[in-house]
Amino acid sequence: MTKAVFTLPHRARMAALATTLALAGCASMAPPYAPPPLPVAAQYPETDTAGASAPDVAWQAYFADPRLQAMIAQALASNRDIRIAALRVEEARAAYGIVRAEQFPTIALGASGSRARAPADLSPTGRAMTSAQYQTGLNVGAWELDFWGRVRSLKDSALQTLLASDEARRAVGVALVAQVANGYLGLRELDERVELARATVDSRAESLRIFTRRFEVGSISKLDLTQVETLLSQALSLSAQLEQARAVQAHALAQLVGGPVDLTPVAGEVSRFDDASVLQPLHAGLPSALLTQRPDLIAAEHQLRAAQANIGAARAAFFPTISLTAAYGTASAELNGLFDSGSGAWNLAPRLVLPIFDAGRLRANMDLAEVRRDVAVANYEKSVQGAFREVADALSNRRWLALQVDIGKTTLAAQSERARLAKLRYDNGAAPYLEVLDAQRDLLTVEQQLVQTRRALLSSQVSLYAALGGGAPSAAASTH
């Protein structure tokens, strides 16, 4: 085999040429990014002037109840949605690493050897001959010189997708914190309502005992006795319904937390959960602040940037693709001469492909990238509008539910006095027991409604905290 031998200066010139070609490229053809204007009003319908910003308040400080803090911490560590979201980040990180590697040549060490025999009638010399070839060296396989920025645009798109997935993980964390807090508040609400119902059952059971004795001695009618029995049956039915609802709520909360959790009511806590232990005033600020506070909006913007980068890749596909295949090493017709002096060999094979006719494939790919960018814009605007509404709703709920709680307290005081006076009138023979029946039934309803309204007020503040972007650790994705 004839050996090709090249001098070092020539190899150096070829290496310098390849380096120059690589550095000359990488111009991005993606359109410049400009965030869409906010499709919402400049201010919320409900204004507030006091309080901290939600992202500045860690959930450990906002939710002061120790049991709730423990549940949130366990949920953030064990909840399956959080786990899936974290794995999605790792998936996007790996995909980014694959695309990023396309910017660099793939260099591999290879070695090969072959022997062949040609018969006499096929040999140029008219005699049978045997030939051999051995070679080893470094190979560069089909490295694209990114003159038009196609690979860079794909890398930028993958990076933005990675950042979006990490913000999506944070958004899942924000939602989970709010869900656990609301689930815990719902459980505490049911604990208090169950306690009220049990106290009512005990009171009415004692009333039935007294009225049964009175009926036995003939001091009251059968109608009065049946009315007392009706009151007790209603209280027993409500108590059973509330116990069922509490069990379902406990099961849902345990699933959110992601593992076993002690949800047994704690003595001394059931009578009234402290409204002030959950929550401090929050300042909503302006809608524009949501763009830097809410992880779901940040994720939507990263998705929009990724769609912009894909347009750059689609544009670059219209231009020639220049790739380089190269090899450098040694070659010899004899195995024992593979590393002898003068056995050096190299190969450089640039390749240029210019699209001429593709039946509209490149144009359709470009249209697809632009449509997907428009979809990303619409999704971003929709996310902003949804976030604006969530904050506005939470502000309105906080205001009007606080008023309803005040009204409920006044109503409860009046209803308690009504029940006391109705019982006094009946004991003095001035009113039938039906009046007492109605007053006590209304009193139980008002007690239950007030507990529900108080819990709804607390939930509105939890919703405001989540809507403003609080409740999860900061993004932690790192790229190079």
Side-chain angles (χ1 to χ4, degrees):
M1 174 184 174
T2 302
K3 296 184 291 183
V5 180
F6 301 91
T7 62
L8 181 60
H10 188 71
R11 292 199 299 268
R13 286 196 298 271
M14 298 303 297
L17 174 61
T19 303
T20 303
L21 290 174
L23 296 176
C26 302
S28 176
M29 304 190 72
Y33 174 76
L38 290 181
V40 294
Q43 292 184 334
Y44 298 110
E46 299 283 341
T47 58
D48 61 340
T49 57
S53 173
D56 298 332
V57 182
W59 62 262
Q60 295 92 335
Y62 192 64
F63 303 107
D65 187 295
R67 294 188 76 193
L68 177 55
Q69 287 182 349
M71 290 180 191
I72 292 176
Q74 184 176 348
L76 290 173
S78 305
N79 182 268
R80 298 315 186 266
D81 289 334
I82 284 286
R83 186 178 303 176
I84 292 172
L87 291 173
R88 293 295 185 196
V89 175
E90 295 306 314
E91 179 185 24
R93 193 186 305 277
Y96 168 71
I98 293 172
V99 178
R100 178 176 175 271
E102 294 294 326
Q103 295 182 118
F104 306 99
T106 300
I107 302 176
L109 176 63
S112 64
S114 66
R115 288 179 63 85
R117 179 182 184 280
D121 58 345
L122 296 180
S123 173
T125 62
R127 290 181 302 173
M129 65 178 297
T130 300
S131 62
Q133 177 180 343
Y134 302 93
Q135 60 184 25
T136 184
L138 300 177
N139 301 314
V140 176
W143 173 36
E144 180 178 345
L145 302 178
D146 195 24
F147 279 100
W148 323 115
R150 187 187 72 86
V151 176
R152 171 180 284 188
S153 294
L154 293 176
K155 184 205 73 169
D156 291 344
S157 176
L159 174 60
Q160 295 301 326
T161 300
L162 167 59
L163 296 175
S165 66
D166 194 56
E167 292 297 335
R169 175 193 59 80
R170 291 186 59 229
V172 172
V174 170
L176 180 62
V177 169
Q179 289 171 353
V180 173
N182 279 322
Y184 178 72
L185 291 176
L187 191 69
R188 294 294 297 273
E189 171 205 331
L190 288 167
D191 285 341
E192 186 171 346
R193 293 178 64 193
V194 166
E195 185 181 70
L196 289 172
R198 287 174 179 172
T200 302
V201 167
D202 294 342
S203 174
R204 292 181 181 179
E206 177 64 16
S207 297
L208 179 60
R209 186 189 68 79
I210 295 172
F211 272 67
T212 300
R213 182 60 180 162
R214 289 181 180 179
F215 174 73
E216 290 173 350
V217 299
S219 63
I220 63 170
S221 67
K222 180 68 173 178
L223 177 61
D224 287 345
L225 180 61
T226 56
Q227 288 174 335
V228 175
E229 291 175 339
T230 299
L231 277 177
L232 177 58
S233 297
Q234 291 173 342
L236 287 170
S237 177
L238 176 61
S239 179
Q241 293 173 7
L242 292 175
E243 292 282 8
Q244 177 191 10
R246 189 196 183 281
V248 172
Q249 183 71 14
H251 300 159
L253 185 55
Q255 181 183 10
L256 275 177
V257 171
V261 58
D262 182 13
L263 299 176
T264 305
V266 178
E269 287 187 354
V270 178
S271 59
R272 184 179 181 86
F273 60 91
D274 184 7
D275 297 9
S277 69
V278 185
L279 313 164
Q280 56 181 292
L282 291 177
H283 177 50
L286 299 176
S288 57
L290 288 179
L291 301 182
T292 58
Q293 293 174 351
R294 284 190 48 140
D296 58 334
L297 298 187
I298 300 174
E301 184 173 9
H302 283 306
Q303 292 289 6
L304 178 54
R305 289 178 178 271
Q308 291 276 102
N310 284 332
I311 292 178
R315 287 178 175 176
F318 285 91
F319 292 85
T321 300
I322 303 175
S323 59
L324 179 67
T325 301
Y328 176 76
T330 65
S332 175
E334 300 294 337
L335 183 60
N336 57 8
L338 193 59
F339 298 101
D340 289 347
S341 175
S343 64
W346 61 264
N347 174 271
L348 180 65
R351 181 170 178 263
L352 184 146
V353 177
L354 176 64
I356 300 297
F357 175 75
D358 63 1
R361 183 180 291 107
L362 292 177
R363 180 70 260 176
N365 188 55
M366 181 69 184
D367 293 342
L368 177 62
E370 291 179 342
V371 169
R372 285 178 174 172
R373 187 269 314 274
D374 295 340
V375 170
V377 170
N379 282 332
Y380 177 76
E381 293 174 342
K382 179 181 177 181
S383 298
V384 171
Q385 290 177 333
F388 179 89
R389 177 183 174 180
E390 288 177 9
V391 176
D393 286 348
L395 289 171
S396 297
N397 291 340
R398 183 177 66 175
R399 174 185 176 186
W400 295 110
L401 284 169
L403 179 59
Q404 291 176 49
V405 168
D406 291 339
I407 295 173
K409 291 177 180 178
T410 302
T411 303
L412 177 60
Q415 194 62 45
S416 299
E417 181 66 9
R418 176 195 168 197
R420 186 187 71 82
L421 293 176
K423 182 66 167 55
L424 184 62
R425 281 168 53 81
Y426 172 77
D427 291 340
N428 292 327
Y433 195 75
L434 182 62
E435 183 175 321
V436 178
L437 177 71
D438 289 340
Q440 291 188 352
R441 187 160 43 204
D442 291 344
L443 176 60
L444 178 60
T445 300
V446 170
E447 287 176 335
Q448 296 283 327
Q449 288 178 343
L450 179 57
V451 176
Q452 290 176 293
T453 305
R454 286 175 40 240
R455 198 275 303 164
L457 175 58
L458 293 176
S459 291
S460 72
Q461 297 183 66
V462 172
S463 298
L464 179 60
Y465 182 65
L468 291 174
S474 300
S478 61
T479 56
H480 302 283

